[in-house]
Amino acid sequence: MLVLLKNLCFRQSIIPQGAHTSPPASTGVYAHHANDGSVTALPQIKNADDNWVSTTTSIDVEAGSIPRNPLTANPKASIMDSIRNAFSAVKNFHPTPRMISDAIIGLADGMTVPFALTAGLSTLGSTHIVVLGGVAELVAGMISMGVGGALGAKAESDGFQAKLADTTKLVLNHPAEAIALVHDVLRPFGFDPQQRNIVVEQLSRSSERMVDWLMRFHYQEKQPDPSRPLTCGITIGLGYAIGGLIPLIPYFCVRNDQILLALYISIGVMLVTLFLFGFFKTVLLAEKEQDKSTWNACVGGFWMLIVGGAAAAVAVGVVHGINTA
């Protein structure tokens, strides 16, 4: 009875004592069930006569050298493998230039508009008002920027699909015009008529190939990623939220009667943040290697500093003027 329960628990077949089992492959494990209930395993191979031959090495299954069931042998190992795969995916992730551009758009607006708003509201003399107004603007701006980015990416995808449909109709209904477009693309590169005709002949064998070629080289259109609207919206929205949260942090850390201290801290933090943002933005988005110099990066940092500082100064002046009028 104990042997029966053990076999059921470990999903093993009930094999009469003293019997032997052979694996179906050309190599495997010869399982020997002794009369006392113990189980041992002997590695086997097939000889030239297609008969199983045991090796001299024995492995104690009871000692755990051979797992009875690979699915339940070590559940912690499968969990750790999943965690390692997740960390490996994050480590190997490389953001595309479009994602970097979207993040910069969100961060730039997030660090400018909420900073200007909180600086202007601080003239009212209440951190409570600054925090409420800043959080409200931050949430509204994050949603607005995210939705705007998603709609813009969706419009870009719709434009590509419309151009693709028009090109397909052109190739199917007016092949002579499509061929003329191929010649127009190749002619400036020095292809003579015979070489152009060879290219046209190859492309004309498949309408799909002709459409793809015209989209790439004549219209210079690249098919957008289907997930582009969602990715764009999330990236811009999160960038705005992160950038807008920075000038608000000092107001959470002071008392209501210390609003000037929070304002000065916020200004100091944002001046440094704006400069660093402009510095690294210049380095990341520069197309030429010479544009990534330290001098150009510093110029980009100062420009960002001037823009953000000017926006904050205007906001402070407008709110102060209305409040004192």
Side-chain angles (χ1 to χ4, degrees):
M1 180 61 69
L2 293 176
V3 175
L4 175 63
L5 290 176
K6 181 189 70 172
N7 291 334
L8 290 175
C9 291
F10 294 103
R11 292 181 173 86
Q12 291 179 342
S13 302
I14 301 176
I15 301 174
Q17 294 182 354
H20 305 295
T21 57
S22 298
S26 59
T27 62
V29 175
Y30 172 93
H32 173 70
H33 299 258
N35 294 329
D36 59 357
S38 62
V39 183
T40 57
L42 298 175
Q44 280 195 328
I45 59 173
K46 280 187 176 182
N47 58 14
D49 298 328
D50 201 27
N51 295 322
W52 287 100
V53 179
S54 300
T55 62
T56 57
T57 305
S58 90
I59 305 173
D60 186 4
V61 177
E62 292 295 327
S65 300
I66 298 180
R68 296 181 179 85
N69 190 335
L71 297 178
T72 60
N74 192 355
K76 292 184 178 180
S78 60
I79 297 175
M80 292 304 298
D81 289 340
S82 301
I83 295 175
R84 291 192 192 96
N85 292 336
F87 276 107
S88 178
V90 172
K91 182 179 179 181
N92 295 330
F93 172 74
H94 299 287
T96 62
R98 295 297 298 271
M99 291 182 64
I100 296 176
S101 176
D102 293 339
I104 288 175
I105 291 174
L107 285 170
D109 283 352
M111 287 191 296
T112 304
V113 179
F115 174 45
L117 176 65
T118 54
L121 292 178
S122 63
T123 59
L124 300 178
S126 173
T127 58
H128 185 67
I129 295 176
V130 174
V131 170
L132 289 180
V135 170
E137 195 284 329
L138 186 63
V139 174
M142 177 182 66
I143 296 174
S144 175
M145 292 291 294
V147 172
L151 292 178
K154 183 65 168 58
E156 181 182 350
S157 178
D158 293 341
F160 175 85
Q161 294 299 330
K163 178 63 69 175
L164 179 63
D166 293 341
T167 306
T168 302
K169 292 180 181 179
L170 177 68
V171 172
L172 295 178
N173 300 330
H174 306 283
E177 295 183 14
I179 291 175
L181 292 179
V182 175
H183 283 281
D184 291 340
V185 174
L186 296 177
R187 190 177 294 110
F189 292 94
F191 288 88
D192 58 42
Q194 183 179 1
Q195 293 172 331
R196 296 199 300 268
N197 289 333
I198 294 175
V199 175
V200 169
E201 181 182 357
Q202 293 294 326
L203 295 176
S204 300
R205 294 180 180 180
S206 171
S207 59
E208 295 181 358
R209 187 184 303 172
M210 176 68 81
V211 171
D212 181 65
W213 194 93
L214 290 176
M215 291 295 293
R216 288 187 181 185
F217 300 103
H218 179 68
Y219 298 110
Q220 297 183 357
E221 294 280 352
K222 183 179 180 181
Q223 184 174 7
D225 188 350
S227 62
R228 168 71 182 154
L230 179 61
T231 304
C232 179
I234 292 177
T235 304
I236 293 180
L238 287 179
Y240 188 93
I242 294 173
L245 186 62
I246 296 175
L248 273 176
I249 293 177
Y251 296 94
F252 287 102
C253 304
V254 300
R255 298 192 307 268
N256 192 52
D257 58 347
Q258 294 180 320
I259 188 169
L260 289 180
L261 175 62
L263 174 62
Y264 296 148
I265 295 175
S266 178
I267 291 175
V269 170
M270 287 308 300
L271 290 178
V272 176
T273 305
L274 287 170
F275 176 81
L276 293 177
F277 175 74
F279 183 94
F280 288 106
K281 177 179 70 70
T282 304
V283 174
L284 289 175
L285 296 184
E287 296 182 356
K288 298 179 181 180
E289 196 66 28
Q290 59 185 12
D291 294 336
K292 298 181 180 181
S293 64
T294 304
W295 171 254
N296 288 332
C298 290
V299 171
F302 279 115
W303 272 114
M304 193 68 199
L305 187 61
I306 292 172
V307 172
V314 171
V316 171
V318 170
V319 174
H320 181 70
I322 295 175
N323 189 40
T324 57

